[in-house]
Amino acid sequence: MNGLIDWGIAGRIADLAATGDSPDPGDGEALEAAVDEATGAVEHYTGLESTEGVPDPEWVSRRQWAQINLDSLRQAIAPLEERLLSGPSLPGPISGGLNAVLGSLAGAQVGALVGYASRRVLGQYEFPVLGPERRPRLLFVAPNLEEARRELGGEPETVLRWIALHEVTHAVHFGAAPWLRDHLRWLANELLSGSRLALGPSEVAELAKRAAGTDPRRWLGELLSSDPITLLAPPESRALINRTQATMASVEGYAEHVMDAAAPQLGEEIGDLRFALE
């Protein structure tokens, strides 16, 4: 393990958690048709047109989705790990042993969260907010869509068309306004660079005192359940955090409005499904 998170453990836990994968990758033609239809509806209502085109849709399994998102997460927090590891640490083998234990715990937690999410996510417009830039992807998790269809009692085509509308709305929005993706990346990088990621001697001493004077299980539980933004961000970053949250709320709110407005173009059954999902 070379970082703060044991990514090998994270991958194995996520793989175990992503159970119930279907061997059927899904109907490729139906997926392409649903995305094309949704693209037309969104562009017609908004007047927007993606300058880079909507990404080609991809059927993925739960395990594939988990691996894609673990890879993105690993790239995103690599600078954070590097900065933390370059800070003060305990001497000798104590430091290595503690890092290994905490890395394993963090890896198990991350893997469990991503693995659980892989069983719930239906579709995703996926792009890196941090880390190296690359072309966005449009992912659809085949076994989850099939489960959603069974739970809702809808036709497979109807469920697929609704989820395609949801993800394509984001794809068109970001594709028509490339500055928005750049803006989110800038906000994320500013938050990261402004975070208090290295502990000074007094802070190390205070943490050691707390650990020694507290039930270790309780102390570790508090540490693992803490909000990472609150833990890492200094008070002067609060305005930037609020700005980031406001940007994301605007993006999601606009997408919800567009989906509601564009859905009637796809037929009454899409609106009925939207109501059932609320």
Side-chain angles (χ1 to χ4, degrees), residues 40 51 57 78 88 102 160 180 186 193 197 205 207 222-223 236 248 253 257 261 264 277:
T51 59
L102 292 178
L160 177 58
L180 181 56
W186 178 83
S193 63
L197 301 178
L207 283 175
E222 290 175 353
L223 182 65
E236 57 268 23
M248 293 308 302
H257 165 72
L277 287 169

Side-chain angles (χ1 to χ4, degrees), residues 48-97:
L48 299 175
E49 185 174 347
S50 174
T51 59
E52 58 192 24
V54 172
D56 293 333
E58 305 173 53
W59 283 118
V60 294
S61 67
R62 289 170 176 167
R63 287 184 172 86
Q64 288 171 326
W65 184 91
Q67 188 58 57
I68 289 168
N69 281 270
L70 278 176
D71 288 344
S72 293
L73 182 60
R74 184 174 188 172
Q75 292 177 359
I77 70 169
L80 174 64
E81 289 188 294
E82 183 178 349
R83 289 178 60 191
L84 278 170
L85 289 172
S86 67
S89 61
L90 295 173
I94 297 177
S95 175

Side-chain angles (χ1 to χ4, degrees), residues 209-243:
K209 184 169 66 175
R210 285 178 56 197
T214 308
D215 180 346
R217 290 170 297 182
R218 179 181 175 187
W219 180 74
L220 182 59
E222 290 175 353
L223 182 65
L224 291 177
S225 63
S226 296
D227 178 0
I229 293 179
T230 302
L231 274 175
L232 298 175
E236 57 268 23
S237 293
R238 191 167 303 279
L240 191 58
I241 292 171
N242 292 339
R243 186 176 174 184

Side-chain angles (χ1 to χ4, degrees), residues 30-231:
L31 179 59
E32 290 182 7
V35 168
D36 288 345
E37 177 190 47
T39 301
V42 171
E43 290 181 346
H44 179 267
Y45 174 74
T46 63
L48 299 175
E49 185 174 347
S50 174
T51 59
E52 58 192 24
V54 172
D56 293 333
E58 305 173 53
W59 283 118
V60 294
S61 67
R62 289 170 176 167
R63 287 184 172 86
Q64 288 171 326
W65 184 91
Q67 188 58 57
I68 289 168
N69 281 270
L70 278 176
D71 288 344
S72 293
L73 182 60
R74 184 174 188 172
Q75 292 177 359
I77 70 169
L80 174 64
E81 289 188 294
E82 183 178 349
R83 289 178 60 191
L84 278 170
L85 289 172
S86 67
S89 61
L90 295 173
I94 297 177
S95 175
L98 183 60
N99 283 342
V101 171
L102 292 178
S104 297
L105 288 171
Q109 186 181 41
V110 168
L113 288 172
V114 172
Y116 175 76
S118 75
R119 299 164 59 182
R120 311 298 299 177
V121 172
L122 301 176
Q124 181 187 21
Y125 173 67
E126 192 270 338
F127 70 91
V129 177
L130 287 169
E133 289 195 56
R134 57 171 170 75
R135 182 169 171 77
R137 300 176 71 174
L138 199 57
L139 309 175
F140 294 84
V141 187
N144 295 350
L145 277 163
E146 175 58 24
E147 281 194 4
R149 182 198 66 77
R150 289 198 299 266
E151 291 175 5
L152 294 169
E155 293 296 324
E157 180 185 359
T158 303
V159 175
L160 177 58
R161 290 167 66 210
W162 164 246
I163 301 304
L165 176 63
H166 185 279
E167 302 310 325
V168 165
T169 298
H170 288 301
V172 171
H173 188 193
F174 280 93
W179 62 266
L180 181 56
R181 201 160 56 226
D182 293 339
H183 181 60
L184 287 175
R185 288 177 62 87
W186 178 83
L187 287 171
N189 278 292
E190 285 295 303
L191 278 174
L192 189 63
S193 63
S195 296
R196 186 182 297 140
L197 301 178
L199 298 177
S202 62
E203 291 166 303
V204 171
E206 178 61 25
L207 283 175
K209 184 169 66 175
R210 285 178 56 197
T214 308
D215 180 346
R217 290 170 297 182
R218 179 181 175 187
W219 180 74
L220 182 59
E222 290 175 353
L223 182 65
L224 291 177
S225 63
S226 296
D227 178 0
I229 293 179
T230 302
L231 274 175

